[in-house]
Amino acid sequence: MDPSTLLLIVVVAGAAAAHGHPATDTPVAQFWEQALPGTTMPEAIADLVKKGIDHSPLVEHYFALPRISVCTLFSSACNPRTVAETGIFFHEALLLPGSAMTLSFPAEAEAAILPQDVAGKVPFGSLADVLATFNIPAGSDEAAQVRDTLRRCQEPPVAGEVKACATSLEGTVRSAMGMLGTVNGQGVWAATSTLPRSGLPRQPYVVRAVAPLDGDRYVSCHRVPFPYAVYQCHAAGNGYRAYVVSLRGLRGGPAASMLAFCHVDTSSWNPAHPAFEVLNTRPGGTPVCHFMPYGDVAFVKKAGRAY
């Protein structure tokens, strides 16, 4: 479809939604309420939905910026030094009240979640079509980032993993439901880390409290670099342990309530994954734990959970 036609679709969709509150009056909000009864849309997700209504990525230049979220995927090729500076990976032994860890989650340029009807008309599979639609020069860093995301979404999963990429929030929810083996959302809820959109300044943080995430099965959905929000959801049959971790900065500043996933079996992970270098371990070694960055979302299934 011609980019000018797509732009008109986005503008019209945004104008129509602007008359109501995006948290309650949009099709995606109504879908969320039906698909996940009793679960409030997390604030971070609602912010990105509103951004998709108010700010078209078709008229805002796409910049290739580091995205720490993608580093948590099993086949990540992120720079180990960059990963180490954030503190996103850690050993499970640190999940004790009173433990301290140094974190630095910088603010990221968050890609907008497009309305489903718009996302369905924007190209995704073809690199050439994506570059043309978003006016991205071939050979640029932005083009390389788009190419990498398309490759990630098209490559087969690692052993024991189920994965899928989705270009809308509705598609993300449906992918997660499929991985959890449900179609009506019964017993499923969504959770995100709660931290400022501006990120967490680099400093030592103390663990104030740790609680298991109330679920039996989990699907993690991570944002991958693209001009609009694309989520790669994955689930591993070889087990997670999941926690909610309350953190407080030792030098003041914001507090945070972070989702943390500990992967028990990493034997099928890419040996070059930066987590192994950062934690001085190897595939199949000690569990690898990581925090969920801003805007990533986990879908949790709890057998017998009532609303």
Side-chain angles (χ1 to χ4, degrees):
M1 181 177 290
D2 183 81
S4 61
T5 304
L6 285 171
L7 176 57
L8 177 61
I9 292 170
V10 174
V11 171
V12 170
H19 293 291
H21 192 285
T24 58
D25 295 342
T26 59
V28 68
Q30 295 163 10
F31 168 86
W32 183 277
E33 292 173 1
Q34 294 171 0
L36 297 163
T39 298
T40 301
M41 185 183 294
E43 183 177 350
I45 302 303
D47 283 348
L48 298 181
V49 168
K50 188 174 188 304
K51 183 176 181 181
I53 294 171
D54 294 344
H55 301 284
S56 168
L58 290 164
V59 297
E60 295 186 352
H61 184 66
Y62 175 57
F63 292 99
L65 297 172
R67 302 287 177 91
I68 193 63
S69 176
V70 75
C71 299
T72 59
L73 296 172
F74 297 166
S75 59
S76 170
C78 292
N79 183 291
R81 180 176 178 180
T82 301
V83 171
E85 288 175 351
T86 67
I88 193 169
F89 291 104
F90 57 91
H91 289 290
E92 195 171 15
L94 288 175
L95 292 179
L96 293 172
S99 294
M101 56 181 73
T102 298
L103 301 177
S104 175
F105 285 5
E108 297 183 357
E110 307 295 347
I113 294 176
L114 288 180
Q116 181 177 225
D117 59 338
V118 177
K121 297 178 176 68
V122 177
F124 178 71
S126 165
L127 175 63
D129 288 346
V130 174
L131 299 186
T133 298
F134 293 96
N135 296 311
I136 299 173
S140 65
D141 291 343
E142 288 78 12
Q145 204 170 60
V146 169
R147 183 185 300 108
D148 185 62
T149 287
L150 293 177
R151 177 189 59 78
R152 289 179 185 277
C153 288
Q154 293 165 359
E155 67 185 5
V158 301
E161 179 197 24
V162 179
K163 73 166 192 172
C165 286
T167 61
S168 68
L169 187 56
E170 292 91 334
T172 301
V173 172
R174 291 190 187 101
S175 290
M177 295 288 194
M179 293 177 192
L180 292 171
T182 185
V183 294
N184 59 10
Q186 187 63 39
V188 177
W189 59 290
T192 61
S193 292
T194 304
L195 71 162
R197 192 168 188 170
S198 58
L200 295 177
R202 182 174 179 80
Q203 65 166 321
Y205 289 81
V206 65
V207 176
R208 300 179 67 183
V210 180
L213 188 60
D214 184 24
D216 304 308
R217 296 178 62 193
Y218 313 97
V219 171
S220 300
C221 296
H222 305 279
R223 292 164 299 115
V224 289
F226 213 67
Y228 59 95
V230 172
Y231 280 89
Q232 181 171 323
C233 300
H234 65 148
N238 46 17
Y240 297 90
R241 285 191 283 268
Y243 304 92
V244 179
V245 185
S246 175
L247 299 169
R248 177 176 54 84
L250 290 178
R251 301 173 189 160
S257 178
M258 303 292 292
L259 295 187
F261 284 89
C262 294
H263 298 268
V264 178
D265 181 1
T266 60
S267 57
S268 61
W269 286 32
N270 184 345
H273 196 288
F276 297 131
E277 181 174 332
V278 170
L279 300 179
N280 192 28
T281 184
R282 64 189 188 285
T286 57
V288 170
C289 300
H290 68 80
F291 289 121
M292 291 279 278
Y294 183 92
D296 285 13
V297 59
F299 294 90
V300 185
K301 185 172 183 179
K302 176 69 172 179
R305 182 183 176 95
Y307 294 96

